[in-house]
Amino acid sequence: MKKISILGSCVTRDAFDFNGSLYQIDNYIARTSLISLTSKPIQILEENIPLPSKFQRRCLYQDFNKTFFQEIHAKKSDWIVIDFIDERFNILQFEDSYITKSNELVDSGLHAEKKYTEITRTEALLPMWKKSAQIFFHKLFKIYMPHQVILHKTHWRHQYYSSNGDIHCFENIQDGIDKKNSMLNNYYDYIEELYPDINIIDMTKETYFCSEEHKWGLSPYHFEKKYYLNFIRILDQITRQWTPNYKRHKTNFGDVNIMLEYDSSLTYLDFTTSSNIVESKTLKFDREGIPLIKLGSNGQYGFQYYPITIAIYGLECISKYYKTGIDSYRKSFIKICEYFVEKQESNGIWYSEFDYHYGVRECGSCKAPWASALAQGFAISCLVRAYYLTKNTNYISSAKKAISCFFIDIEKGGVRRILFNEYIFFEEYPTEKPSHILNGFMFSLLSLYELYITTKEKEICELYKQGIHTLIQTVSMYDLGNVSSYDLTHITIPGNPSKYHYQYHLTHVHLLSAINLIEQNSILEKVLHRWLTYAQGNKSCFRLEENNIKIIINEVEENKLMFKNQENSVRIEYDLNEELDYAFYINNDDKRILTKKYDKNNSIKFTPIENNYTIIAFVKDKFDNKIAKSFEISCFEKQSLNLLMNNTLQEELLNHTTVCVKENKMCVEIKIKNCKDLRFAYYVQFEKQNIHKEPYSHKPSFELTLSEQGKYEVFIFCKDLLLEKFVFSNKFTY
């Protein structure tokens, strides 16, 4: 479900009553203006606002206290929609602050309690409004990216449908409507010119009418149903196109984006945010906008056209175009794709025209010109997206031509190697000895998949399936126990140390999440989760152990007793310093009585009517690791139990509890039979001041080192299964 915040009025909020089920309204801030909410707060308590409606009180509270930025920061949504209909109100100046003169403010009478100056909504107010708008958007863009901001452009309407379906004009306010729309146009023009990267839903172009049957009554901005349906339709287009297709995870190695969906026609993986190629000392652009990079340890090769960098820049541009709608990104992307069509060799390869010495010396070097599976793959991914964007078949023809080297061994000028005499592997670098670099291999597999999905050609599918088979069979060879290796040289070159980098480990996790969306393979999924836990600082995916699950019944740890025919509380505890999800099954004679699905709530209420139940407690971590533990529970009528805290037991506790001092330690020991169902706590006082508290546990003994001489008293608390308590104390001098 997509989360939305609204700053505006009913013209936006009412739309979500019509086919808005895909959205969750996180914040709705109304009856305010940019001038007011960017001014100094005026402290007021919500309970002191004399209005009957909670919504109206909330609006005034927000307008007085200027809580807008605080609220949207605390509960940030995926998108924020802004409309300016509530900019129709005049502004009241109270000393050095401003308040919106809304109907709610007038009804409350709060404005009459202080001296104020009223500023009417005329052309003279426009400079002040523009200044406030700049302050507002400056603050807003610290919380939201521009593309997450949607400006809802609308106009007051001159006509409306009556209850019988006839069209009527609003009488006596036609000039007023024109003035309001002129004011709104000034606002819209200013914002669009100043902030071109925000999204626009423009509802001013088509003819819409208001409705006499609107739930809030007849008004020039209470519209017919068609208006709201079209608004939601346009909003769906925006949010569907730009909703992130990944979920960000914070780990000890850094942030990693886990793919939630894979689309070969639009954005490329997470390149909207993860790639940012700009001009620097080692990178420049030629006249056509094609990047060149300076290569060699001392830049001895000068600036070179490197197919991998060029393709990455192209994928960045197309991803950012779909994210922002900025046409310059689209134009840059097309230039990159035209470059690939023009520069492709007759054998389908885009060569790197410089020698490259791989970081593992024993592998040898790549002699110019050389082909790379990664370069071929990235270029294919560019060309596939160019085809979807333009429908120009030249791009697909070039992409299909590019796969020829995937059928050819490296020794013959291709990018293919046979790993362990069995598995087909596509190499990022055609070194003399194999390196088997994992990330380059996985990137190339994604490109083959994209081309196959687009063309449906069997030979491309076969290439992709061969590569996937290799990945499934060999991916665990890259597992070093707490991180993944960059290549396989620690296996293929005897005695060679493992080559790894934490950022590349995150890249492996990211790519596995994308490939497993396609393959849904159990081996890949297990490796993905295990490697994600490595990034979190764990050396094994078995980070949850069922023996660590505790169950608390009626707030008593490990209690196996419930009270029949009355409500009992059941709670799961698992000691792990992160958010977990919990679920319950409660069974009676293998029949499911109650099910609680996974969520953050770790407790349930349950009223048993039988004598015995099985409670199965489930725990799930953020990596989707799951464990469960069963507990057999007996149920009794509370009044049928013999109370443990009877006089006999109390007397036994008093007679069989010893308190003594050995050297500098106070020792408490309770020697009674059948104390397994009791829990004990100990409080110690020195000179009538508490100095130590020992919480409830099953331990019938306790020791405390004494540091000062004087009078001590130890209070011994005893609690039974029914939570009934008995307290006694013992005094001594040290």
Side-chain angles (χ1 to χ4, degrees), residues 421-469:
N421 298 316
E422 183 175 357
Y423 304 113
I424 292 174
F425 194 96
F426 308 124
E427 290 280 15
E428 180 175 343
Y429 296 123
T431 49
E432 298 162 23
K433 292 183 179 179
S435 56
H436 305 306
I437 296 169
L438 181 58
N439 82 90
F441 179 50
M442 288 197 285
F443 274 120
S444 67
L445 292 181
L446 288 173
S447 302
L448 292 173
Y449 168 77
E450 293 175 350
L451 187 58
Y452 162 65
I453 288 299
T454 306
T455 64
K456 304 299 183 184
E457 293 190 4
K458 290 184 178 180
E459 67 171 359
I460 303 173
C461 179
E462 183 61 26
L463 269 182
Y464 169 71
K465 289 297 183 183
Q466 289 172 348
I468 287 296
H469 177 70

Side-chain angles (χ1 to χ4, degrees), residues 81-277:
V81 184
I82 300 170
D83 73 71
F84 291 148
I85 287 297
D86 279 352
E87 297 287 350
R88 66 190 185 273
F89 297 115
N90 289 342
I91 303 296
L92 302 184
Q93 181 176 0
F94 292 89
E95 296 179 352
D96 57 350
S97 186
Y98 298 90
I99 297 294
T100 309
K101 190 184 178 184
S102 63
N103 296 334
E104 287 76 10
L105 177 65
V106 174
D107 291 343
S108 74
L110 292 174
H111 65 300
E113 296 179 1
K114 297 181 180 180
K115 291 183 179 180
Y116 64 85
T117 302
E118 184 165 349
I119 306 172
T120 57
R121 190 70 71 160
T122 63
E123 289 286 335
L125 186 64
L126 187 57
M128 183 179 180
W129 186 90
K130 289 181 177 180
K131 183 178 180 180
S132 297
Q134 290 183 29
I135 296 171
F136 170 79
F137 280 96
H138 177 73
K139 290 184 177 180
L140 186 67
F141 291 152
K142 291 182 178 180
I143 303 172
Y144 286 96
M145 297 290 289
H147 77 273
Q148 294 177 291
V149 179
I150 301 171
L151 177 61
H152 176 186
K153 291 174 58 177
T154 190
H155 280 157
W156 293 35
R157 305 294 159 158
H158 291 272
Q159 296 174 301
Y160 66 91
Y161 285 115
S162 66
S163 57
N164 60 11
D166 295 333
I167 297 175
H168 298 273
C169 290
F170 286 100
E171 297 181 358
N172 304 321
I173 59 170
Q174 296 294 308
D175 289 342
I177 291 174
D178 289 334
K179 288 179 180 179
K180 294 297 184 184
N181 289 339
S182 177
M183 174 196 71
L184 287 170
N185 287 336
N186 287 332
Y187 296 161
Y188 298 148
D189 292 345
Y190 182 72
I191 298 302
E192 288 186 88
E193 181 180 358
L194 207 59
Y195 308 109
D197 293 346
I198 66 172
N199 276 291
I200 306 293
I201 296 181
D202 191 347
M203 304 296 288
T204 66
K205 304 296 185 184
E206 294 186 36
T207 300
Y208 296 104
F209 298 107
C210 297
S211 174
E212 193 173 48
E213 295 189 330
H214 193 282
K215 66 178 181 178
W216 305 122
L218 183 60
S219 173
Y221 43 81
H222 291 165
F223 303 122
E224 60 178 310
K225 180 179 178 180
K226 183 175 73 170
Y227 178 98
Y228 302 113
L229 291 174
N230 283 340
F231 172 88
I232 290 294
R233 177 181 56 80
I234 299 171
L235 179 66
D236 286 344
Q237 292 173 353
I238 292 172
T239 58
R240 187 183 305 114
Q241 178 172 296
W242 288 357
T243 298
N245 55 348
Y246 56 82
K247 182 178 181 180
R248 185 177 296 273
H249 281 269
K250 292 187 178 297
T251 77
N252 292 355
F253 295 172
D255 291 353
V256 59
N257 295 328
I258 303 299
M259 300 304 297
L260 302 177
E261 60 181 0
Y262 192 82
D263 192 328
S264 59
S265 63
L266 298 173
T267 59
Y268 183 77
L269 295 172
D270 62 349
F271 273 34
T272 51
T273 55
S274 66
S275 179
N276 187 32
I277 292 178

Side-chain angles (χ1 to χ4, degrees), residues 711-723:
K711 294 181 178 180
Y712 288 84
E713 186 171 8
V714 56
F715 292 85
I716 302 163
F717 296 78
C718 183
K719 188 185 291 185
D720 67 9
L721 289 174
L722 297 181
L723 306 182

Side-chain angles (χ1 to χ4, degrees), residues 551-578:
I551 190 167
I552 313 296
I553 297 179
N554 297 323
E555 299 307 314
V556 179
E557 183 179 327
E558 297 292 349
N559 184 12
K560 304 299 191 299
L561 176 70
M562 277 189 178
F563 303 131
K564 196 193 296 188
N565 297 317
Q566 72 180 70
E567 188 176 73
N568 294 256
S569 67
V570 184
R571 178 163 56 87
I572 300 174
E573 280 193 356
Y574 194 96
D575 187 16
L576 190 65
N577 189 27
E578 64 184 52

Side-chain angles (χ1 to χ4, degrees), residues 450-516:
E450 293 175 350
L451 187 58
Y452 162 65
I453 288 299
T454 306
T455 64
K456 304 299 183 184
E457 293 190 4
K458 290 184 178 180
E459 67 171 359
I460 303 173
C461 179
E462 183 61 26
L463 269 182
Y464 169 71
K465 289 297 183 183
Q466 289 172 348
I468 287 296
H469 177 70
T470 297
L471 180 65
I472 292 170
Q473 297 301 316
T474 65
V475 65
S476 290
M477 297 179 185
Y478 293 86
D479 195 316
L480 301 178
N482 60 352
V483 71
S484 56
S485 62
Y486 179 75
D487 59 24
L488 281 185
T489 55
H490 61 289
I491 293 177
T492 59
I493 301 175
N496 199 62
S498 303
K499 185 179 177 65
Y500 66 89
H501 189 284
Y502 290 139
Q503 279 304 122
Y504 274 109
H505 177 80
L506 297 180
T507 300
H508 296 160
V509 171
H510 174 63
L511 290 172
L512 274 176
S513 73
I515 291 174
N516 197 50

Side-chain angles (χ1 to χ4, degrees), residues 518-633:
I518 301 166
E519 292 300 313
Q520 298 292 299
N521 178 269
S522 60
I523 294 176
L524 297 182
E525 185 171 3
K526 288 178 181 178
V527 174
L528 166 63
H529 287 169
R530 185 164 70 246
W531 287 3
L532 189 54
T533 65
Y534 289 173
Q536 199 64 34
N538 299 284
K539 294 186 178 181
S540 170
C541 64
F542 303 107
R543 56 202 305 268
L544 299 179
E545 297 182 12
E546 65 179 68
N547 289 337
N548 292 337
I549 296 179
K550 295 179 181 179
I551 190 167
I552 313 296
I553 297 179
N554 297 323
E555 299 307 314
V556 179
E557 183 179 327
E558 297 292 349
N559 184 12
K560 304 299 191 299
L561 176 70
M562 277 189 178
F563 303 131
K564 196 193 296 188
N565 297 317
Q566 72 180 70
E567 188 176 73
N568 294 256
S569 67
V570 184
R571 178 163 56 87
I572 300 174
E573 280 193 356
Y574 194 96
D575 187 16
L576 190 65
N577 189 27
E578 64 184 52
E579 283 194 350
L580 299 170
D581 286 338
Y582 306 89
F584 287 96
Y585 286 167
I586 296 183
N587 296 342
N588 176 247
D589 292 333
D590 296 326
K591 181 180 179 182
R592 184 69 38 78
I593 304 300
L594 185 148
T595 299
K596 174 192 169 294
K597 295 182 179 180
Y598 279 109
D599 59 27
K600 302 300 180 189
N601 183 13
N602 68 336
S603 64
I604 58 170
K605 300 288 187 180
F606 175 61
T607 301
I609 58 175
E610 304 292 341
N611 291 331
N612 298 290
Y613 290 88
T614 300
I615 296 179
I616 306 174
F618 298 85
V619 176
K620 180 173 72 172
D621 68 8
K622 56 188 174 185
F623 306 115
D624 209 32
N625 295 315
K626 302 170 185 176
I627 55 171
K629 186 176 181 180
S630 295
F631 300 86
E632 300 298 326
I633 305 298

